[in-house]
Every structure is written in structure tokens, then in C-alpha cells.
């Protein structure tokens, strides 16, 4: 269905990403709610193979038109590319498909900002409602009938290829136990990775939540359509200004839900006059509600690569889709703070094979921010990620390099890994971390939640923007800290929360089953 | 990306210099380069094949000697485009030679810029590749020069 020029909606959802599709899909289950979903990117039908086929993920990110790149910088001025999905499904249509729940400790942190509704116990029913995980169908913490199908290409009790069993054995020798269920409240060790894949096809939020809703008469979907600002009058959101190839126009709505992602939701708020006063003045945007936290508190995960010379060629898919390590950078850190992946071989003619290991720091102690380059909605915001600024973050990654070196030297894995190439054993590892870190593409936090009176809070614990009626934020930008996990599922969870809030359903439900200790 | 280091070669600075400023000789030390051809007395072109996991691509490059003033200023500019992401890579390599015990120290300082999606793979792929390429090119230079002047070579420098 297309939106008529004078059509009004009960709810406009801006951004058809990981979270926005959840919001639109869930809200439109109620036929009395007229929902409009606006997505800036295309909504290609049928889904192009490069998106649908998980084996083409590298090609999707490296050369498809569905990815947007933001130029950020490390502290030494070198360039650091950040990415987002610009297509229906957003990040969930271009990401690596890992489905990882935040750890119980993350909910504990978030409930300090948002109260009981953000506790693990209150969120467990929503996490169960999202997923169908047939590998753990009998486990009360898992869902068996949610829209998102999880699958594992490999379970720890499956027969493993020699390099995979070598990794499991080497990790075990370093004290990392087998952890068959990565989505338990406090995972640690050698984990079989769950992916959003059903019958070999990507399960983005667009596939899992939007596709089943597309035929509903109360749901309108506009792709290739961009929101420029929220229309606010008398302290209340009244709709959005949108533009497409045909030009700009206004759409009226009873409520506006912003789900444009961690870079663009703060941009939309600022363009609507909601943000830090000095920033709005710099941009020449009239102040509607001064909210200092908009665009601040950017959190992400830093990634550092350690590359070894390979002693042999390893089949490209040997580990990535199968196993990840959840490890501690030091034995005394309270929460596991690293994801470790053995990466496939890099081959360059004339050189020995290279085997990278990636270390993903699951914490970010300093905070970055997102600033607007200009008041033009089409210009990309400037991201200052501030990764690896805090000495403890750098220290954890340096320790992670040591862990990778020990792992690669551990029999039987040592038969595949030769000497360290980058950094070498003699290089300054701290300098390597500071000058080469990358990102896991897990940005959150730029419109963080918090109670009234919390100076950095942009939305309240029910995701309503402070100071404006009828305006919500429902994406990864509301999360106050980056979870010890990949972020897609957390974004979907935010979508589930927003749908309940807009539909007027209670939030902190009593869990149907107690969480596992 | 910035790559800095030093290589020891058991040959005189002038013999080392002669190898570096001759495009044909320099091209012969780029590991894995195919279809190498000299364009003029300062420039050569070639192709390197690379694969990252399931992705395969070619990197076509042009290398030109921009400045050459013995013994302390050699600037080589390398530009290229890859076939997968169509990204542009630009590198400026500054090298200088100085006498060192047993021969010559070749110090290099390269800054590499990637414009386009290849940057996504940057730190995973390019740094280690550059490091191994430098090792391999250094070994090649040593082979050539030390065959003429077979003194013992010092340790190779690294990438910082
Ligand atoms: C390359 C990559 C790999 C990743 N891998 C994983 C992984 O394996 N597992 C995991 O859990 N997480 C992963 N992530 C992170 C995860 O995808 C994100 O956390 C998640 O997509 C965030 O969801 P969101 O709803 O907040 O925003 P997004 O999914 O980014 O959605 C925002 C949407 O809003 C649209 N939009 C923006 N501005 C406007 C506007 N003005 N008008 C209309 N629409 C607009 C965008 O086009 C986009 O579709 C990855 C991310 C990337 C980029």
C-alpha cells in the first residue's frame, strides 16, 4: 500500500532497520493501529541473493550498494571506517548474522538507568518471544515459536574438522571450557555460534518481522523515502517531513517512533530542534527541547587483528561460522571481556598464507559522540567513536594479543599457526592497538535512556523522548552501555519494548520461567 | 596506515641505491607481481592477486619514482585499484640510505591511504600483507646485492 498525500497514521516508524521492522511488524498485528514504516534505503523484492545468501556476506559488505560508510578517525588521524545498512532491514540485512543476547550483567547495568523493566528477569520473556531456537527447545530460557529462527552450523558435540577440534582443544588447555549455549545469562568459553539463518537464508528483521506483515491493510511501507525532521507542535510530535524522488511532503501521525539507528536518530532529533543547545545554535536549528544527551555517549566495540603466518592453507569457512571464544583478557576481570575469532586465510600471491585472529573488546569505557556536519538532512553525521581512549580498554586488547599468541602456540593448534607477523612478537603491542583498532560495528548509546532529571538521558525507560509527547526512540541508540554481546538482538529487543509501549501494554512482565542461575 | 622500519643490507649505499632507482630491478622485488611492465624510466605497472577467505581479486598498481636524491631521499608513489571493491589505494614510500656497520641501513616510512570499502579490510589484511611484502622485498634486495658483495646481512626491520 502507498501513502496517499493526505493520509494520516496512528504511528509513523522512521527507519526499517533491525529494530524498526520489529516495531512495525508487532504494532500492525493489531488491525486497529494504522502504521507507516519509512525506510531511506531500498526494499528490493525478491531479496537479492547477495543479501539472502549468508555465504556472500563479505561481498555484501565490500561491494554491494546496501552499505553506508562513515569516515571516522583514530586518535593518530588514521581513518577508521564505520558502517551501517541502508536497505530494508538496516544492519540486520548486511550484518554477520550472529544472534547473541546481552549478558545478564548488561541488563543489571541498564536497569540502573531504566529500572526494573530493563532487568534480565523482565527482559527474558521478550527475548524468548523474539526467537525460535530448536537446539534448546526444552530450555526454559529459550523461545520455541518467535519470528527469528536461530541455527548453528556447528554444535560442540558435532564431529569437527581437524582445525576446529584443534582450536577447541587448545582453548580448553588455556582454561576455556566448552559453552554450548552462547545465549545463557553468563556465557564463557568455547561457544558454538548461533546465526539468524533459516534453510540457508538470512533472517533479517525485514524477513522475520516485516515480510509476514506486508499484506496487512493497516501497514504502509515506504522505501527509498527519507525522513528529514519530526514535526513538533505544542510540545507534541504531529508527524514527519519526508522526501522521496517526488519531492518533500508531510505525513501526520499520532505518534512518531524514531528507529533510524545510532548515527541517524540523533541527527533527526537535532534537525527537529531536540539536542544540545550549543549544537543546535551552531547548526542554526531553532531549539524546541534542549537535551544535552542527544548524540553523546557513543559506545562501540573495538577490534584488533593479530596476523600469524599460516603453516598451511585452511579452508575458508573453517571456523568463522562455527566457533567463537568468549574469554577474559586477564583472569581477574569480573566479566568476560573478549570475543576471539580465528579468521580464514588471507592469500596474496608471492607471500606465505596469513592467518588473522580477531580480538573484540566487549567494553568501551570512554564515550564518543555523533555530531552533525550541517543542517542538511542528506549530509552524513560525523562520528567521533573515541574507541581505545581509556587505558584499561587498550590494556585489555594488549592482553588479548597475548592470549591470541598463547592460543596459536598451543598444541595441536600450533601446527596451523606460524610466527606472528602483525604485530610481531617484538613490536610494541600497545602502539599496535592504538594505531590499528577497528570496530565490531556495534555502535549504541547516542540517545540513551534514563529517568527524568538524569542530565544525559534522552528517553525515559519507556523510550519516550523527554519533553515531547508522542515521540519515541526505538533502536540501539537508547542503550546506555554497549552490551557484552553483538548488538542486533539488543536492537530487536528495544523494538519489542517500543511496540509494547506504543500499544499501551505493560512492560515489566513477570517472567514465565525463572532465569537460570 | 603508517609503516616504518629499517632494513640492513650487506652492500654499499651506492650499490643499494642503484638497485632502488631502477624500475625494472625494483619491480622484480615486488613479490607475486604479474604482468609487470616498465612505462618510462621512473614508472612501472603490474598486478597482484589476493584472496581473503572466499573473496578473490586483483590489485592493479602503478609505481613511480617521484624523487631520487642520493643517499637520503627516495620517494616512490604507488597507486592502484582493486577489482572487488573498486577502492583506490595510494601509498607514498620515503626511503633513505645510510652507512651502517657491515653495509647499509635502508630506513623507510610509508603512509598508505585507502579510499573506498577496501578500508574495511584494511587492518586485517593490508598491514600484515605490507609487513610480509617488506620482508620479502628486503630478502630479494639482499639476494641481489649480497650476491655481488656477500657480507653477512643484519636483521630485517619490522613494521611499526
Ligand atoms: C557490517 C556489520 C556487521 C554486523 N554484524 C553483526 C552481527 O553479526 N550480529 C549482531 O548482533 N550485530 C551485528 N551488527 C550490528 C547490528 O546490525 C546493529 O546493532 C543493528 O542493525 C542496529 O539496529 P538499529 O535498528 O538500531 O539500526 P539499523 O539496523 O541501522 O536501522 C536503521 C535504519 O534506519 C534507516 N534510516 C536512517 N536514516 C533514515 C531517515 N532519515 N529516514 C528513513 N530511514 C532512515 C537506515 O537506512 C536503516 O535501515 C553488525 C553491523 C554491521 C554494520
Amino acid at each position: 500500500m502507498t501513502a496517499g498525500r493526505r493520509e494520516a497514521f496512528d504511528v509513523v516508524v522512521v527507519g526499517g532497520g533491525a529494530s524498526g521492522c520489529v516495531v512495525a511488524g508487532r504494532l500492525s498485528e493489531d488491525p486497529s493501529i494504522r502504521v507507516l514504516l519509512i525506510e531511506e534505503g531500498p526494499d528490493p523484492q525478491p531479496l537479492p541473493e547477495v543479501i539472502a545468501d549468508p555465504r556472500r556476506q563479505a561481498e555484501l559488505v565490500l561491494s554491494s550498494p546496501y552499505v553506508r560508510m562513515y569516515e571516522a578517525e583514530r586518535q593518530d588521524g588514521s581513518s577508521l571506517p564505520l558502517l551501517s545498512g541502508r536497505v530494508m532491514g538496516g544492519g540486520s540485512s548486511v550484518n554477520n548474522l550472529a544472534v547473541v543476547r546481552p549478558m545478564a550483567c548488561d541488563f543489571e547495568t541498564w536497569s540502573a538507568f531504566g529500572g526494573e523493566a530493563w532487568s534480565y528477569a523482565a527482559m527474558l520473556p521478550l527475548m524468548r518471544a523474539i526467537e525460535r531456537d530448536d537446539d534448546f527447545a526444552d530450555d526454559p530460557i529459550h523461545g520455541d515459536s518467535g519470528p527469528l529462527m536461530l541455527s548453528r552450523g556447528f554444535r560442540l558435540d558435532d564431529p569437527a574438522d581437524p582445525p576446529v577440534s584443534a582450536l577447541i582443544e587448545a582453548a580448553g588447555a588455556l582454561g576455556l571450557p566448552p559453552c554450548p549455549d552462547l545465549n545463557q545469562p553468563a556465557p564463557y568459553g568455547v561457544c558454538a555460534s548461533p546465526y539468524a539463518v533459516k534453510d540457508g537464508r538470512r533472517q533479517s528483521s525485514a524477513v522475520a518481522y516485516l515480510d509476514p506483515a506486508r499484506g496487512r491493510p493497516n501497514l504502509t511501507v515506504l522505501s527509498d523515502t527519507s525522513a528529514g525532521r519530526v514535526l513538533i507542535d505544542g510540545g507534541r510530535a504531529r508527524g514527519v517531513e519526508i522526501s522521496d524522488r517526488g519531492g518533500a511532503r508531510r505525513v501526520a501521525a499520532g505518534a512518531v517512533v524514531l528507529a533510524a539507528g545510532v548515527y541517524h536518530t540523533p541527527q533527526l532529533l537535532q534537525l527537529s530542534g531536540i539536542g544540545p543547545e550549543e549544537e543546535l545554535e551552531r547548526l542554526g536549528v531553532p531549539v524546541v527541547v534542549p537535551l544535552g544527551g542527544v548524540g553523546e555517549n557513543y559506545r562501540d566495540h573495538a577490534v584488533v587483528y593479530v596476523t600469524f603466518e599460516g603453516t598451511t592453507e585452511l579452508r575458508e569457512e573453517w571456523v568463522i561460522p562455527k566457533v567463537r571464544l568468549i574469554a577474559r583478557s586477564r583472569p581477574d576481570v569480573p566479566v568476560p571481556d573478549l570475543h576471539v575469532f580465528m579468521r580464514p586465510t588471507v592469500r596474496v600471491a608471492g607471500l606465505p598464507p596469513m592467518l588473522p585472529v580477531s580480538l573484540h573488546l566487549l567494553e568501551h569505557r570512554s564515550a564518543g559522540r555523533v555530531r552533525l556536519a550541517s543542517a542538511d538532512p542528506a549530509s552524513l553525521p560525523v562520528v567521533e567513536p573515541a574507541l581505545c581512549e581509556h587505558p584499561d580498554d587498550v590494556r585489555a586488547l594488549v592482553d588479548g594479543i597475548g592470549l591470541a599468541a598463547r592460543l596459536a602456540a598451543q598444541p595441536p593448534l600450533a601446527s596451523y599457526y606460524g610466527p606472528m607477523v602483525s604485530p610481531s612478537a617484538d613490536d610494541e603491542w600497545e602502539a599496535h592497538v592504538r594505531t590499528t583498532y577497528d570496530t565490531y560495528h556495534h555502535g549504541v548509546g547516542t540517545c540513551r535512556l534514563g529517568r527524568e532529571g538524569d542530565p544525559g538521558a534522552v528517553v525515559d525507560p519507556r523510550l519516550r523522548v523527554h519533553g515531547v509527547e508522542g515521540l519515541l526512540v526505538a533502536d540501539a541508540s537508547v542503550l546506555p552501555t554497549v552490551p557484552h554481546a553483538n548488538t542486533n538482538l539488543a536492537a530487536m529487543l528495544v523494538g519489542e519494548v517500543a511496540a509494547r509501549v506504543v500499544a499501551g501494554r505493560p512492560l515489566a512482565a513477570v517472567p514465565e520461567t525463572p532465569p537460570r542461575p | 596506515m603508517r609503516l616504518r622500519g629499517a632494513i640492513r643490507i650487506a652492500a654499499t649505499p651506492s650499490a643499494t641505491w642503484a638497485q632502488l632507482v631502477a624500475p625494472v630491478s625494483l619491480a622484480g622485488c615486488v613479490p607475486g607481481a604479474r604482468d609487470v611492465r616498465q612505462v618510462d624510466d621512473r614508472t612501472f605497472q603490474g598486478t597482484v592477486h589476493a584472496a581473503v577467505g572466499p573473496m578473490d581479486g586483483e590489485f592493479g598498481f602503478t609505481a613511480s619514482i617521484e624523487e631520487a636524491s642520493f643517499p637520503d631521499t627516495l620517494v616512490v608513489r604507488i597507486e592502484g585499484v582493486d577489482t572487488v571493491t573498486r577502492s583506490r589505494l595510494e601509498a607514498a614510500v620515503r626511503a633513505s640510505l645510510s652507512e651502517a656497520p657491515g653495509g647499509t641501513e635502508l630506513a623507510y616510512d610509508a603512509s598508505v591511504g585507502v579510499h573506498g570499502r577496501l578500508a574495511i579490510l584494511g587492518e586485517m589484511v593490508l598491514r600484515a600483507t605490507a609487513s610480509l611484502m617488506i620482508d620479502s622485498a628486503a630478502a630479494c634486495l639482499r639476494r641481489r646485492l649480497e650476491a655481488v658483495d656477500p657480507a653477512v646481512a643484519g636483521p630485517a626491520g619490522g613494521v611499526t
Side-chain angles (χ1 to χ4, degrees), chain B residues 23 26-27 30 34-40 42-48 59-66 76-81 88-93:
Chain B
L26 200 56
V30 179
R34 283 196 291 114
D35 308 329
V36 177
R37 60 187 182 283
Q38 185 164 354
V39 177
D40 57 36
R42 295 187 153 238
T43 312
F44 65 95
Q45 294 181 325
T47 306
V48 175
F59 176 70
F61 67 91
T62 302
S64 6
I65 297 171
E66 285 217 322
V76 180
R77 185 166 297 278
I78 303 162
E79 284 180 6
V81 174
R88 202 160 46 83
L89 182 143
E90 291 170 345
V93 187

Side-chain angles (χ1 to χ4, degrees), chain A residues 15 17-19 39-40 87 90-91 95-98 227 260 441 475-476 486-488:
Chain A
S19 169
E39 167 54 42
E40 182 170 0
V87 59
N95 70 18
N96 290 348
L97 303 107
H441 306 296
D475 58 31
N486 307 57
T487 46
N488 197 72

Side-chain angles (χ1 to χ4, degrees), chain A residues 161-171 308-314 318 342 345 353 355 404-419:
Chain A
D161 289 345
V164 177
S165 36
L167 170 64
I168 296 172
E169 204 179 319
F308 296 82
E309 221 175 279
T311 58
T312 169
E313 297 263 326
L314 293 176
W318 74 279
M342 318 310 273
T345 315
L355 287 179
R406 288 197 301 281
L407 194 64
Q410 185 69 42
L413 201 59
S415 61
Y416 299 97
Y417 286 81

